[in-house]
Structure formats: structure tokens, C-alpha cells
């Protein structure tokens, strides 16, 4: 394509060259532009063969540097879900972010070797904590509404009061567990400091695995307790 | 039920760009889905970019009117897209050098979201600028208003791009600074090559001005003029893509 541009410059029809010159585009620019579009055309063809939608393939013609990440990839099947955890959270979201960011910072300061804790695992743990916090916030709202309803009713409903008590107990248990996990994240950060001195990675990994299991159990605990309340 | 990229309506996508651009980016619970999101969202994000910046360009063209409406509407999307298209490899290289691994798909998605956000903000800013330009301000004030609007809408977009890139790495700040510097230089030079956007009311309308030197030569000329050494508006010197401009004759010099 570049050769074509240079040939056009050397032997092209004078009116065409005059037109190019009049529009202030030197021949080198024409060559570069044709080269760019040539790469874009090849990329559009490639994406089309991989099953990407027409809009994506057409876009590659002019904006192929933005789509380099799609080279060699098949088109996604169905829709891609947007970040589900972003709008999830409760009153402790800021504390969760601070704990995870502190841990991430401590991991970043690790001098050499493979990271002790995978960044993806850390993000997954954060998502689980968000959801646990979100559930607690939901239960708080539910308890507030239920207590307000119980106060306005003249006749005392024993069943409702018992359900509220059980839900409240489950909520306190979950909140306590969440606090314990957040404290565990802080102690893990301290253990990372010990790792820097002693160089033993196993206790850190084991502690992180324990915290992951605890958060997973927290989700199960919440569902079991809530099911009991509903029954 | 969670929204998916294929079911999300266009206006909701614009709302997400303004309020929660993080949701359009690729990491969910530790899984990087940038490539899938890029494939699904790229055409619509580009369309939003083109529409938003073309609206801003129309407003810029309104200062002169006539065919400048069309010219500015065509050139303004290029003003935003060219720096991103050219600067992406440099941004990736800076982050690699600073121990922050960035995939091409994440970088492409982050860049598209950032540019689309800037375009939406530019479109939102356009009526205010149009109102100001309709009062027929001085040419230099119009240029300043344009530059001010671009800075105003460009900063949130730039922040979106930098925040969207992976965290970590001991020198991430350096990589961010270098990326911003490269994008800034590219934006300046793109603006210089694609000028004029705002044309004086009685000036001749052209799609592009002659290529002469670069934006830094122009800034140097302006600096010399500010110090009292005025030698005309023509910038001196030329690079690979520029043309030499004959120096103005001594008789044409305007002494302070």
C-alpha cells in the first residue's frame, strides 16, 4: 500500500496530484493513510471471520488500534453482564475497600517472586464481602419496617415478634462474622510484614484461604438463617 | 436481574458513562471480561463519541457559519480520536515498564469509555458554548472559550482512562504521568494539524491550513512575540511531515 502511495506520487495523474497538493496533503501522508487503512481492512476481515458483529468489524477499518485485543478471539456468545458488584454494598463498603486496598498495597511492596495472593482472588473476596454487607443492609431495612409495623398494630402478634427476634439474631451473627473477616484482613497485612522479614509464605496463604472459606460460609449462613426465619 | 451489554438501551449507556463508567469496564469478581465487553460495546461507544463530538464541532463552526459547520463537525471527532489511536501503544509501554500489566483489550475498552465520556460531556457543554458564541465575542475570547470547554470535559475523561487501568505496581504514578504527558502532546499537535476549528467571521474558510512546523514552533513564535520580538505569525522550521516556510523579509518585520 505504501508502494502504491509512492508510485501514485511519482507517476500519478497530474490533476489528482494537484488535488492532493491543493488539499495540503503531502504524498507521505497519503502513503501513511493508505497503510493505516490497509491494516484496518485486514483487521476488519479477520474480525468478520471470527463472528464479530458488523459494527465491530466496520469500526476496525478506521479504529483498529482500539480493537487489537480482539485479534484471535471469537465473538462473545449472548450478552456480557455488566459489573454486578458495583451497585452492591452496604454501610461497610468503605471499610471493605480500605482493607482490600491496604492489603493490595502491602502486596505491591513485595520485592520479588510470584505474588503471594492472586489479585483476582483478592477482587473475588472483595465482591463476596460487598454482597455480605449488602445482605446485612437489606436485613436492617427489613427489620426497621417490620418493627414499625409491629408498633402500629394494636393487637400483639407473637409470631411476628418471634420472627423479628430470629432475624435480628441472624443479622447480628452475620455482622459479627463480617467484622471478624475485616479484622482478619488487617492481621493478614501484618503477616505480610512478617513474611518480608522471615520469608515464609505458607502462613500468609493459609490465612487468606481461611478468610475466603469464612466469607463463603458467611453467605451460606445468611441463607440458612433467612430460610429459617421465612419458615 | 442484571443488565447486559446487548440489552442495555443507548440512553442508559450514556447515563452509565456519566454516572458509573466503572460498570462498563472489564473486571467482575476477579474475572477480566474486557475483551467480551470491548467486542459488545465498541461500536456503540464509538457512535456516541462521533455524535457527541460532532455536536460540539457544529457549535464551534457556528462562530463563522457557512460550510465551517460541516468542516468543524467532521474534524472535532478526529481531534479526540487521533491522540488515543496513536498514543495507545505508548501508554501500554509505559505501564509495562512500570510493572503494571495491561492487556490490549482492557486498554482499548478503557480508552473508548474515556473518549465516549468526554464526548458526552462535550455535547452537554455545547449549548452553553453556543450561547456564548452567539453573543459574537472577540476571536481570541472564542478560542479561549473553546480551549476552556475542552479542558473542562477532557479532565473527567482522562481520569476515567487512568483509573480504569489496573492498580498496583510501584511506579504506577510515573506511568500515569507519562501517559497524560503523551496524550497531552498528541492532543496539542492534532489540534494544530486539524485547525482551524474557530474561523474569524470575515476570514476565508478552509478545511485544513497548510502544514507548517508543529505546535511547539507556534508556541515558540508566540513566546518570542510576547517578549517583543515579533516576526510575523508564520512558524519556522519543519519536521518530517512539515514544510519549510520561507522566513518573512526584514521589511515586513514589525518592530516593537
Amino acid at each position: 500500500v505504501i508502494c502504491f502511495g509512492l508510485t501514485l506520487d511519482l507517476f500519478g495523474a497530474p490533476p489528482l496530484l494537484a488535488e492532493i497538493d491543493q488539499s495540503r496533503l503531502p504524498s507521505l501522508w497519503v502513503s501513511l493513510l493508505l497503510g493505516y487503512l490497509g491494516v484496518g481492512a485486514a483487521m476488519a476481515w479477520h474480525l468478520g471471520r471470527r463472528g464479530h458483529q458488523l459494527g465491530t468489524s466496520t469500526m476496525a477499518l478506521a479504529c483498529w488500534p482500539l480493537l487489537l485485543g480482539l485479534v484471535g478471539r471469537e465473538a462473545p456468545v449472548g450478552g456480557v453482564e455488566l459489573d454486578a458488584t458495583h451497585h452492591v454494598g452496604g454501610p461497610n463498603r468503605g471499610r471493605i475497600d480500605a482493607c482490600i486496598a491496604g492489603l493490595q498495597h502491602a502486596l505491591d511492596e513485595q520485592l520479588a517472586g510470584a505474588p503471594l495472593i492472586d489479585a483476582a482472588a483478592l477482587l473475588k473476596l472483595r465482591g463476596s464481602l460487598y454482597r455480605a454487607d449488602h445482605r446485612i443492609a437489606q436485613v436492617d431495612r427489613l427489620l426497621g419496617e417490620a418493627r414499625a409495623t409491629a408498633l402500629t398494630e394494636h393487637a400483639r402478634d407473637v409470631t411476628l415478634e418471634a420472627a423479628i427476634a430470629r432475624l435480628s439474631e441472624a443479622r447480628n451473627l452475620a455482622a459479627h462474622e463480617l467484622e471478624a473477616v475485616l479484622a482478619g484482613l488487617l492481621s493478614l497485612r501484618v503477616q505480610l510484614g512478617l513474611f518480608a522479614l522471615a520469608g515464609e509464605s505458607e502462613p500468609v496463604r493459609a490465612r487468606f484461604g481461611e478468610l475466603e472459606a469464612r466469607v463463603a460460609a458467611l453467605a451460606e449462613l445468611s441463607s440458612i438463617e433467612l430460610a429459617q426465619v421465612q419458615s | 436481574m442484571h443488565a447486559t451489554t446487548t440489552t442495555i438501551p443507548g440512553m442508559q449507556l450514556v447515563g452509565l458513562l456519566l454516572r458509573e463508567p466503572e460498570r462498563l469496564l472489564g473486571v467482575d469478581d476477579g474475572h477480566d471480561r474486557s475483551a467480551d465487553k470491548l467486542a459488545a460495546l465498541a461500536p456503540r461507544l464509538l457512535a456516541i463519541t462521533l455524535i457527541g463530538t460532532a455536536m460540539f464541532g457544529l457549535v464551534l463552526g457556528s462562530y463563522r457559519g457557512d460550510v465551517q459547520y460541516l468542516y468543524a463537525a467532521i474534524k472535532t471527532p478526529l481531534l479526540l480520536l487521533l491522540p488515543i489511536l496513536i498514543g495507545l501503544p505508548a501508554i501500554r509501554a509505559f505501564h509495562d515498564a512500570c510493572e503494571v500489566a495491561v492487556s490490549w483489550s482492557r486498554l482499548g475498552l478503557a480508552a473508548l469509555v474515556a473518549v465516549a465520556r468526554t464526548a458526552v460531556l462535550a455535547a452537554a457543554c455545547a449549548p452553553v458554548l453556543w450561547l456564548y458564541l452567539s453573543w459574537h465575542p472577540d476571536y481570541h475570547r472564542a478560542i479561549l472559550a473553546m480551549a476552556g470547554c475542552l479542558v473542562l470535559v477532557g479532565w473527567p475523561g482522562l481520569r476515567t482512562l487512568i483509573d480504569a487501568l489496573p492498580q498496583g505496581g510501584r511506579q504506577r504514578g510515573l506511568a500515569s504521568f507519562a501517559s497524560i504527558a503523551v496524550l497531552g502532546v498528541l492532543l496539542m499537535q492534532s489540534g494544530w494539524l486539524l485547525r482551524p476549528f474557530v474561523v474569524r467571521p470575515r476570514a476565508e474558510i478552509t478545511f485544513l491550513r497548510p502544514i507548517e512546523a508543529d505546535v511547539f514552533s507556534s508556541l515558540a513564535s508566540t513566546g518570542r512575540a510576547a517578549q517583543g520580538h515579533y516576526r510575523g505569525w508564520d512558524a519556522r522550521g519543519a519536521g518530517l511531515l512539515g514544510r519549510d516556510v520561507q522566513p518573512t523579509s526584514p521589511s515586513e518585520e514589525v518592530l516593537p
Side-chain angles (χ1 to χ4, degrees):
Chain A
V1 175
I2 293 172
C3 283
F4 173 73
L6 293 173
T7 311
L8 190 72
D9 190 11
L10 285 173
F11 305 110
L16 180 61
L17 288 178
E19 185 67 28
I20 290 170
D21 185 57
Q22 201 174 22
S23 60
R24 320 294 186 192
L25 283 173
S27 56
L28 183 59
W29 282 59
V30 176
S31 307
L32 289 174
L33 187 64
L34 286 173
Y36 181 86
L37 290 177
V39 176
M43 182 116 169
W45 176 78
H46 171 75
L47 293 181
R49 277 181 64 90
R50 291 275 174 176
H52 287 276
Q53 52 180 311
L54 183 64
T56 311
S57 305
T58 312
M59 176 187 165
L61 199 61
C63 301
W64 58 265
L66 289 168
L67 302 178
L68 281 175
L70 300 182
V71 173
R73 283 180 181 270
E74 298 293 334
V77 181
V80 181
E81 196 171 290
L82 296 175
D83 180 3
T85 61
H86 191 262
H87 58 285
V88 174
N92 291 307
R93 190 179 168 113
R95 286 179 62 206
I96 294 169
D97 282 340
C99 282
I100 296 289
L103 201 55
Q104 181 70 59
H105 184 67
L107 286 169
D108 290 341
E109 286 177 343
Q110 185 191 331
L111 289 177
L116 280 177
I117 300 169
D118 189 26
L122 205 57
L123 287 174
K124 191 175 178 182
L125 182 71
R126 188 183 67 176
S128 303
L129 286 170
Y130 281 163
R131 279 189 286 274
D133 191 32
H134 184 71
R135 280 195 296 270
I136 291 170
Q138 270 184 323
V139 170
D140 280 345
R141 276 197 297 274
L142 186 62
L143 279 172
E145 285 169 16
R147 281 176 183 142
T149 311
L151 281 175
T152 52
E153 284 182 5
H154 298 295
R156 195 176 168 199
D157 188 344
V158 181
T159 319
L160 178 65
E161 283 180 2
I164 289 173
R166 274 202 299 274
L167 184 60
S168 181
E169 193 182 335
R171 182 254 172 232
N172 289 340
L173 196 62
H176 181 262
E177 197 62 14
L178 182 66
E179 288 290 337
V181 172
L182 290 179
L185 284 173
L186 278 176
S187 71
L188 189 61
R189 198 175 167 188
V190 175
Q191 275 188 324
L192 278 171
L194 288 175
F195 164 73
L197 287 175
E200 288 184 10
S201 60
E202 273 314 305
V204 176
R205 291 203 175 99
R207 180 78 176 141
F208 186 73
E210 185 193 322
L211 287 175
E212 280 184 316
R214 229 170 150 171
V215 174
L218 179 60
E220 288 172 16
L221 176 80
S222 305
S223 56
I224 290 168
E225 294 283 349
L226 286 174
Q228 282 177 353
V229 169
Q230 282 163 3
S231 65
Chain B
M1 193 178 73
H2 301 304
T4 62
T5 51
T6 46
T7 57
I8 186 169
M11 285 311 289
Q12 196 180 335
L13 186 60
V14 171
L16 277 176
L17 275 172
L18 289 175
R19 288 196 307 271
E20 300 173 295
E22 304 86 3
R23 286 187 65 192
L24 300 171
L25 299 167
V27 178
D28 302 338
D29 281 359
H31 301 291
D32 192 348
R33 300 193 176 90
S34 301
D36 291 345
K37 285 188 175 179
L38 178 65
L41 285 174
R44 283 194 285 170
L45 288 175
L46 183 68
I48 288 171
T49 304
L50 294 178
I51 293 168
T53 45
M55 283 170 67
F56 189 75
L58 273 176
V59 169
L60 292 179
S62 72
Y63 187 72
R64 174 65 174 80
D66 210 348
V67 76
Q68 183 61 19
Y69 277 115
L70 181 66
Y71 285 174
I74 292 170
K75 287 191 293 182
T76 312
L78 292 175
L79 177 67
L80 276 192
L81 284 171
L82 276 181
I84 288 289
L85 292 175
I86 297 169
L88 275 191
I91 294 173
R92 188 164 190 264
F94 288 142
H95 281 80
D96 272 351
C98 294
E99 302 172 6
V100 183
V102 188
S103 65
W104 278 112
S105 47
R106 183 146 179 82
L107 190 59
L109 182 64
L112 263 176
V113 168
V115 172
R117 192 173 195 221
T118 304
V120 171
L121 289 171
C125 194
V128 180
L129 184 63
W130 203 350
L131 179 66
Y132 179 68
L133 295 182
S134 69
W135 290 341
H136 305 293
D138 174 42
Y139 172 74
H140 297 287
R141 286 179 192 277
I143 293 282
L144 279 177
M146 178 190 81
C149 282
L150 283 176
V151 169
L152 197 68
V153 302
W155 180 245
L158 204 55
R159 280 295 305 272
T160 306
L161 175 63
I162 297 300
D163 290 346
L165 297 180
Q167 303 294 318
R170 274 170 287 162
Q171 305 292 338
R172 188 178 187 273
L174 184 63
S176 302
F177 176 76
S179 304
I180 290 172
V182 164
L183 284 178
V185 170
L186 285 171
L187 183 69
M188 286 162 67
Q189 182 65 13
S190 302
W192 173 259
L193 289 173
L194 294 170
R195 76 208 150 95
F197 293 93
V198 176
V199 180
R200 291 174 196 271
R202 281 180 294 280
E204 183 192 352
I205 297 175
T206 55
F207 187 69
L208 295 171
R209 282 194 190 147
I211 299 166
E212 50 180 30
D214 50 47
V215 68
F216 300 105
S217 308
S218 171
L219 288 175
S221 300
T222 309
R224 280 197 300 273
Q227 290 169 3
H229 307 295
Y230 183 71
R231 291 167 189 266
W233 277 105
D234 290 336
R236 308 289 176 81
L240 181 67
L241 301 175
R243 293 173 178 183
D244 283 314
V245 175
Q246 294 299 319
T248 49
S249 61
S251 61
E252 291 174 7
E253 285 188 14
V254 180
L255 294 174

